[in-house]
Amino acid sequence: MQDTSLGDIASRANWVLSILPPSEAYAFAQRFRDAHSKEVGTRRLAFADCNAVNPETAKLIASVFVDTPIKFIDAGIIGGPPQGQYDPVFYASADVGDEDVLDEFAGLQVHGLKVKLLKGEGASVGDASALKMSYAGITKGIIGICTTMILCTSTTFSCCVNTYLIWEYARILAAHAASPATSQALLHELASSQPVILQRIAASTNGMLPKAYRWVGEMEEISAFVEGGLNPSTTKPTDTSRALKGTEDGPELIHMGLAKLYDRIALAVEDDKDGKEAEDVKVLQGFVEEAKKVISSK
């Protein structure tokens, strides 16, 4: 890989795959469109937004390329980073009339990309993102809930609950006293009655820590996705995916709470890198090490 300008990419590439923290996806699409317009104008190419954004954000990004020579693909990546013989799947959808571009995207499999197309009646931009939101809302939601409960059983917290954000875990203010007995009891009970969940915690938590900063925006996108699915009359976002600020109640706040949690973890990870006290990181890593010992002893 090598660094290059957006203008150079616009003049040479046939495909652009955008893979960024969700909060940066829309602005990047705008910058790329502007660079393309300035450098090459009429040159045709395709732009695949592969970010973890909700369907309305995907449509907003697609609108950036209306009346340009740039074709748009909505893609959602399901799975972890490539390693060994494993590759994640790029699910992709496109608007009616762009099926040829969708088929060309599938052709990228010759370069090692694993692609599955979403086609059929009603399929359009937003469908791949909806699949990504649904999948990540389950998998990363589970990790977030496990993380919250590990922290709560490992440390006694003083909590301030915002009356408008009933399920918001991240209104935790400070830790006061360690409770290792509670943490150990939780670990051994999980090993006894929920071994699959404990195995998932042991396998996923350390990998989550360096990614937590990326998952903040993803949880916000999932929250908007849930809100739109359960309240279709809700006003759609016009310039950003973060349409929930100011919302006072609703099940979409489940993932807004997880966004706050992952933000908390991300800050702790940065503190740990800087050599500062990072109790959350210490607690989670300690729990994982103990869990691995218990699992291996079974």
Side-chain angles (χ1 to χ4, degrees):
M1 296 180 65
Q2 65 182 64
D3 291 333
T4 188
S5 67
L6 292 181
D8 188 43
I9 294 173
S11 64
R12 297 170 56 192
N14 293 322
W15 282 93
V16 174
L17 276 61
S18 172
I19 305 175
L20 300 163
S23 59
E24 300 176 19
Y26 180 67
F28 174 75
Q30 290 179 309
R31 292 199 305 274
F32 182 78
R33 177 203 59 195
D34 294 345
H36 176 276
S37 177
K38 180 180 178 181
E39 297 293 331
V40 290
T42 60
R43 182 173 183 270
R44 296 176 62 83
L45 72 154
F47 184 101
D49 184 88
C50 309
N51 297 299
V53 298
N54 81 78
E56 293 305 318
T57 303
K59 293 172 186 176
L60 185 65
I61 295 171
S63 71
V64 169
F65 302 109
V66 171
D67 297 327
T68 75
I70 303 172
K71 293 292 186 178
F72 182 82
I73 294 291
D74 172 29
I77 305 173
I78 302 266
Q83 53 181 331
Q85 298 300 309
Y86 168 79
D87 290 300
V89 180
F90 285 68
Y91 284 88
S93 61
D95 279 337
V96 175
D98 287 336
E99 289 89 349
D100 55 336
V101 184
L102 198 57
D103 289 334
E104 290 174 18
F105 185 70
L108 296 179
Q109 291 183 103
V110 300
H111 301 292
L113 215 63
K114 191 173 182 179
V115 178
K116 292 188 178 181
L117 304 182
L118 300 180
K119 287 185 170 183
E121 184 178 354
S124 63
V125 165
D127 289 352
S129 289
L131 175 61
K132 170 67 176 179
M133 293 289 95
S134 300
Y135 183 87
I138 294 170
T139 58
K140 292 171 183 174
I142 289 172
I143 294 172
I145 291 170
C146 292
T147 298
T148 301
M149 302 326 297
I150 290 169
L151 291 175
C152 286
T153 56
S154 298
T155 313
T156 302
F157 288 110
S158 170
C159 300
C160 172
V161 182
N162 184 320
T163 56
Y164 296 121
L165 303 178
I166 297 173
W167 293 105
E168 188 173 336
Y169 290 117
R171 290 291 183 181
I172 298 169
L173 298 180
H176 293 297
S179 300
T182 306
S183 179
Q184 285 295 308
L186 172 66
L187 191 157
H188 286 281
E189 178 55 37
L190 287 173
S192 175
S193 62
Q194 301 291 337
V196 174
I197 290 178
L198 186 63
Q199 290 166 8
R200 178 66 182 270
I201 293 170
S204 303
T205 302
N206 285 335
M208 172 273 292
L209 293 172
K211 301 174 186 175
Y213 79 99
R214 293 178 60 101
W215 291 7
V216 176
E218 188 167 346
M219 293 301 104
E220 291 174 338
E221 293 290 337
I222 292 170
S223 213
F225 170 63
V226 172
E227 182 187 34
L230 298 181
N231 304 295
S233 61
T234 300
T235 302
K236 305 302 185 207
T238 57
D239 60 351
T240 177
S241 64
R242 300 183 180 189
L244 292 176
K245 293 181 179 178
T247 301
E248 297 185 351
D249 54 26
E252 67 275 3
L253 296 181
I254 293 169
H255 289 89
M256 284 299 285
L258 292 175
K260 296 290 186 181
L261 169 70
Y262 286 129
D263 187 51
R264 175 192 172 109
I265 298 300
L267 292 173
V269 169
E270 286 302 309
D271 284 345
D272 189 55
K273 288 180 181 177
D274 294 338
K276 300 177 183 177
E277 184 70 22
E279 184 65 19
D280 287 353
V281 173
K282 181 181 176 181
V283 167
L284 290 170
Q285 290 178 334
F287 189 93
V288 167
E289 290 307 308
E290 287 298 314
K292 289 179 178 179
K293 292 177 184 177
V294 171
I295 291 169
S296 64
S297 69
K298 294 293 182 180

